[in-house]
Amino acid sequence: MTGPAARAAWLREQLALHDYRYYVLDDPQVPDAEYDRLMRELRQLEAADPQLVTADSPTQRVAGSPGAAFRAVAHTVPMLSLDNVFNEEELRAFDRRAHERLGEDAPLTYVAEPKLDGLAVAVTWRDGLLERAATRGDGSTGEDVTANVRTIRSLPQRLRAPAPALLEARGEVFMPLAGFERMNREARERGEKVFVNPRNAAAGSLRQLDARISAARPLAALFYGLGRIEGLAAPDSQQGLLALLRSVGLPVSKEARAVQGVEGCLEYYRDLGARRSALPYQIDGVVYKIDRRSEQERLGFLSRAPRWAVAHKFPADEALSVVREVEFQVGRTGTLTPVARLEPVFVGGVTVSNVTLHNIDEVHRKDVRSGDTVIVRRAGDVIPEIVAVVIERRPPGAAPVTLPQCCPVCGSVVLRVEGEAAARCTGGFTCRAQRQEALLHFASRRALDIEGLGDKVVEQLVERNEVASPADLYRLSAAQLAALPRMGEKSAANLLAALERSKHTTLPRLLFGLGIRDVGEVTALALARHFGSLEALMAADEDSIQRVPDVGPVVAAHVAAFFASAAHRTGIRALQEAGVTWPDMVPQAAADGVLAGRTFVITGTLTGMTREQAQQALVARGARVSNSVSKKTSYVVAGSDAGLKLAKAQELGIPVLDEQGLRDLLR
DNA sequence: GATCCTCGAGTTCT
DNA sequence: CTCGAGGATC
C-alpha cells in the first residue's frame, strides 16, 4: 500500500493515538491545532477518494468539546512533556545522542524514577506558604487548581525551614490504587458513576469546581522537578533537587535512584517493571534524567521536550477498540452470554478480539453497543474486559443491545427467570450448542479426561450428527474420525486410545461429567462419598439427597430431576453398555485422618508436584481443600507466583506453607 | 432476615 | 479471575 491510501491509514492511526491520549489518558500530547491539521488532511484525502473512507475513520464521528471553567495560569517557565521511548533500542539511541552532544565517553549518571500515571502540576510556595497550583495544560498555559490542590493531605501548606523565598516545584497529582478502589466501590454502592482508572479519577477530582468534593477524594502527590527558585541557588543535580524538595517537606518518590549508563537504566526498568503490580499507585513507565545540571544545560531542549530526560514506557494495558457487534453464545446449561467482537487490538502483550460481557445487565450497565469505541483493559489479571464506552465517539443511530427472544443457535424460546442474571435457551439437548458444550464438559480434564477431544472435533461430530450423547463417543470408529478435517490416522488412533482409557473412571468424575445443574467438582465428590454408588443416588428422593453436606433444596431438586428423566437414565445405561465403569465408593459420613477438620487452599505454581497431587495427598489425610481463602481456612499452601489468595491469607493472618512446609506436614 | 462462606459457570490467549 | 447464587450460620 502506497500513496494516498497509506497516508490515510497513517493519519487514522495517528489520530487514534491522540484520541487515546485525550480520552483515556486525559493527557493530549499534541496541541489541538496539530490534531485539527491531521484531521483536515485526512478529510481532504477522503473527499478526493471516497473509497478511502473506513467505518472507523475519525472523520466519521461527532466531536465533543472540552469545557474550560478554571482561570488560566501562564507558566513563566514552560511545563514541558517528555519524549517517549518504547524499547531498549530507542533508549540506547537517546543515550548515544546525549553522549555525542556532550562529547563524553564515560557512562552518564541518570536519576531513574517511576513515571506516575497522574496529572502534572506546578505548585508555588512564596516565603514558605502555598500560593498557587496549576495544571500543565498545553505547557505554556494551565488551569488554576489551587483550591483543589490545597486539599491534598500529603502536600504541605507551609514548607519546612529553611525554605527559599520562592519555590515552584513540579510533580504529579495521582490517586493511590487503594483509595481509587475504595472510592469506586462506594460510588457503585450509591449507584453513581465510577471512574475508568485512577488517572481519570485524579483528573476528575482535580477539576472539581467544588473543592469540598476534591477534599473527599483520596489524592496524593509526588514531586520531581523545579520550575523556579529564588533566594537559594538551584541544586546542581537532580539528586540534589530531590534532596532539597524532601528537606522542605515535599513528598518525593522513594523509588528514585541514581544509576550508571544505559545498563543501569535498563536494570532499574526491569526491576520496577517486575514490581509494578505491587506498587501502591499506577505507573506507566520509568523516567530517566541526566543527573548533572551542567550537562542538562548543555543538552538543552527540543521544541517541546528536554534532551536530557526521557520516559521509558511499559507496554500499555489499556487501549481503544471498536465493537464490531455483540453476539450471544450458548453455554452448556443454555445460558446466553453476550460477547463483544472487537477490532483486534494489541493490549497487555496480546491481541484481543473477544471480550465477555457476562450477562445482559452488564451490557446495559456499561451500555455497550455495536459500533461503539470502547476502552479495553488487560491488566494483571489475564482476562480482558471492557472498561467503558467512549460516548463521544458513538456513531449516530447505534441501538442498545437487546436480549434475543429466541436462541441464536436453535431458535427455541429464551427464558429469563425473574431475579436471575442469566437468560437461558429452553432447547435443552435439542439445541446443538448445548449438546456440543455438554460433550466438551463430559470430555474435559476434570471429568472423563478424554485427551484430544477438543472443541473443533466435537463441533464437527455434532454437526455431522455422528454424536449426540456421551455414549455415542464410544461407538466412533477410526474411519469415522479420520474422515474429519485436520484429523489423520495417527490422531484418530490417539483419540480412540484416549476414549478407551477414559472408560475406567471414578464415580465423582462421572457425576461431574454428566453436567447436572449446580453440580460441580466439589458437589459431585460430596454426592459420591455420601451414596457410594450411582444406583444408590438414582434411587434416592429429594429429601435424602438434601442430607448430603452443602446440598440444599435447590441442588437436591436439580439432582432428583436429572435422574428422573427417562432420557438421562437411558444415556447412563448406554454408557455402562459401552463399557464405562467406575468402582463403588465406601459411603463415609465424616472424613477422618490426621488432618481431619483442617481446610487448605492451594495457590501458585508448585515445582515437585501438581496442585492436583497436593490436593489428593491432603484429602487422603482427611483435610478439606477449598478454592477461596476465608477466616475458616487453616493453611494456605503457596507455590511460586502466588497472587491475590496469598495476599488475602496474609491479611487475615492465616499461616502460609511453602512447598517444603507442605512436604514436612504430609510426612 | 442478614451475613458469610463456598461453589459453579463462563471466559482469553499462547 | 470474577460474578452470581445456594447453603449454612447466627
Side-chain angles (χ1 to χ4, degrees):
Chain A
M1 193 163 61
T2 53
R7 180 70 184 168
W10 181 83
L11 286 167
R12 276 196 295 274
E13 196 179 303
Q14 287 298 305
L15 288 164
L17 187 70
H18 296 320
D19 279 343
Y20 171 71
R21 295 215 59 100
Y22 185 93
Y23 289 112
V24 181
L25 304 182
D26 192 25
D27 181 24
Q29 282 217 313
V30 295
D32 287 353
E34 169 67 5
Y35 183 93
D36 293 343
R37 195 189 62 73
L38 294 172
M39 183 67 97
R40 210 160 40 236
E41 186 184 342
L42 181 59
R43 279 221 177 83
Q44 280 165 0
L45 282 174
E46 289 181 346
D49 181 0
Q51 294 226 303
L52 293 179
V53 182
T54 60
D56 65 345
S57 175
T59 55
Q60 302 301 302
R61 73 187 155 87
V62 196
S65 66
F70 289 90
R71 200 160 55 81
V73 176
H75 295 298
T76 333
V77 180
M79 279 186 87
L80 301 165
S81 53
L82 291 178
D83 263 342
N84 294 319
V85 296
F86 291 93
N87 55 45
E88 187 177 328
E89 198 182 316
E90 291 172 6
L91 176 64
R92 287 188 189 282
F94 169 84
D95 180 64
R96 201 163 41 239
R97 282 194 303 272
H99 273 101
E100 281 163 9
R101 284 183 178 270
L102 291 170
E104 173 68 67
D105 285 336
L108 295 164
T109 302
Y110 289 95
V111 171
E113 312 163 10
K115 184 174 192 311
L116 290 155
D117 214 0
L119 243 80
V121 290
V123 186
T124 310
W125 285 266
R126 191 178 293 277
D127 298 324
L129 283 178
L130 196 160
E131 181 184 69
R132 199 173 66 181
T135 63
R136 169 160 56 204
D138 64 4
S140 56
T141 310
E143 291 171 336
D144 187 332
V145 287
T146 312
N148 293 334
V149 164
R150 268 189 210 284
T151 65
I152 300 173
R153 296 221 183 94
S154 59
L155 198 142
Q157 305 282 332
R158 177 186 286 278
L159 296 182
R160 294 161 61 113
L166 180 109
L167 175 70
E168 181 193 323
R170 282 158 183 199
E172 200 87 355
V173 169
F174 62 98
M175 190 175 286
L177 288 170
F180 168 73
E181 273 154 25
R182 177 163 41 82
M183 194 183 83
N184 262 358
R185 197 174 51 239
E186 289 168 5
R188 219 179 345 255
E189 279 161 11
R190 287 193 301 265
E192 293 167 11
K193 94 176 180 80
V194 296
F195 283 103
V196 166
N197 55 36
R199 219 210 98 82
N200 273 9
S205 303
L206 213 50
R207 296 249 178 76
Q208 272 297 331
L209 287 171
D210 186 347
R212 282 172 305 184
I213 297 180
S214 318
R217 300 281 172 81
L219 291 174
L222 286 176
F223 287 87
Y224 48 68
L226 184 64
R228 288 180 296 160
I229 187 165
E230 286 170 18
L232 198 71
D236 62 3
S237 69
Q238 175 68 12
Q239 291 186 71
L241 172 62
L242 294 179
L244 169 71
L245 295 175
R246 200 175 278 133
S247 76
V248 296
L250 295 185
V252 170
S253 173
K254 291 185 190 69
E255 304 287 344
R257 212 171 69 207
V259 297
Q260 295 303 314
V262 173
E263 300 311 323
C265 290
L266 289 170
E267 193 184 316
Y268 182 93
Y269 179 84
R270 281 188 288 265
D271 171 60
L272 200 68
R275 294 189 291 121
R276 182 183 181 190
S277 58
L279 294 173
Y281 40 74
Q282 204 171 54
I283 61 175
D284 60 355
V286 171
V287 177
Y288 313 115
K289 292 173 182 159
I290 287 181
D291 188 39
R292 290 165 66 168
R293 194 157 61 91
S294 58
E295 289 174 341
Q296 295 179 1
E297 282 168 355
R298 279 162 61 202
L299 284 167
F301 297 87
L302 225 59
S303 58
R304 39 170 253 275
R307 283 207 192 87
W308 45 268
V310 73
H312 190 175
K313 298 302 245 347
F314 292 130
D317 55 11
E318 276 184 6
L320 288 183
S321 182
V322 175
V323 178
R324 284 182 180 156
E325 59 183 331
V326 175
E327 282 183 359
F328 285 82
Q329 278 178 359
V330 183
R332 167 167 73 87
T333 60
T335 324
L336 293 193
T337 308
V339 180
R341 309 281 176 209
L342 303 176
E343 293 296 330
V345 59
F346 190 75
V347 52
V350 298
T351 304
V352 173
S353 40
N354 302 308
V355 179
T356 177
L357 291 161
H358 301 293
N359 56 55
I360 189 73
D361 289 339
E362 180 86 356
V363 177
H364 291 150
R365 206 175 305 137
K366 290 185 173 161
D367 194 19
V368 177
R369 307 182 182 189
S370 277
D372 268 345
T373 298
V374 291
I375 301 167
V376 180
R377 169 162 58 203
R378 186 176 180 274
D381 44 335
V382 190
I383 296 177
E385 59 169 341
I386 288 182
V387 183
V389 172
V390 180
I391 292 289
E392 294 88 339
R393 298 191 54 173
R394 168 166 293 164
V401 172
T402 54
L403 186 67
Q405 302 280 305
C406 302
C407 170
V409 175
C410 71
S412 302
V413 171
V414 166
L415 210 68
R416 195 169 176 212
V417 177
E418 188 83 22
E420 273 186 23
R424 289 197 162 82
C425 156
T426 54
F429 285 142
T430 62
C431 178
R432 193 161 46 77
Q434 290 193 47
R435 275 206 306 277
Q436 193 172 307
E437 296 304 312
L439 284 165
L440 272 173
H441 174 74
F442 181 81
S444 70
R445 202 164 46 83
R446 307 180 113 90
L448 279 270
D449 193 17
I450 307 172
E451 218 182 311
L453 196 66
D455 53 357
K456 290 285 175 289
V457 176
V458 170
E459 192 183 326
Q460 284 296 320
L461 290 170
V462 170
E463 216 157 77
R464 294 164 180 233
N465 276 323
E466 292 183 333
V467 171
S469 75
D472 297 342
L473 291 169
Y474 295 100
R475 292 194 207 99
L476 290 167
S477 68
Q480 255 177 308
L481 286 173
L484 298 177
R486 299 196 51 79
M487 173 81 85
E489 272 178 36
K490 182 78 181 158
S491 315
N494 284 344
L495 182 48
L496 283 181
L499 279 162
E500 205 52 41
R501 262 201 311 280
S502 74
K503 287 182 182 174
H504 296 279
T505 188
T506 66
L507 182 54
R509 277 175 178 272
L510 179 87
L511 284 176
F512 174 58
L514 289 175
I516 307 165
R517 252 237 261 164
D518 283 340
V519 177
E521 231 182 341
V522 176
T523 311
L525 181 64
L527 288 168
R529 278 228 176 110
H530 184 92
F531 288 99
S533 72
L534 186 63
E535 291 70 30
L537 173 58
M538 286 174 77
D541 59 12
E542 257 184 75
D543 283 346
S544 33
I545 297 175
Q546 268 201 64
R547 279 197 278 277
V548 177
D550 295 321
V551 172
V554 176
V555 175
H558 284 147
V559 174
F562 184 91
F563 290 116
S565 139
H568 290 144
R569 299 180 87 99
T570 318
I572 290 164
R573 206 169 317 120
L575 277 174
Q576 288 171 313
E577 279 160 10
V580 179
T581 59
W582 54 90
D584 284 348
M585 297 172 77
V586 186
Q588 45 187 202
D592 55 350
V594 276
L595 297 177
R598 308 273 171 88
T599 304
F600 287 74
V601 174
I602 310 172
T603 180
T605 314
L606 303 176
T607 53
M609 57 178 111
T610 64
R611 277 213 292 258
E612 282 72 24
Q613 288 168 335
Q615 176 170 356
Q616 278 185 0
L618 288 166
V619 169
R621 287 163 181 77
R624 269 169 58 86
V625 175
S626 143
N627 289 314
S628 46
V629 180
S630 72
K631 282 188 292 190
K632 294 191 175 168
T633 310
S634 324
Y635 292 98
V636 169
V637 178
S640 52
D641 294 324
L644 287 170
K645 287 179 191 174
L646 175 58
K648 178 126 192 240
Q650 285 162 345
E651 188 186 316
L652 294 173
I654 290 161
V656 176
L657 294 175
D658 59 9
E659 198 169 338
Q660 193 52 49
L662 176 66
R663 283 176 197 289
D664 294 344
L665 189 76
L666 292 173
R667 210 177 300 123

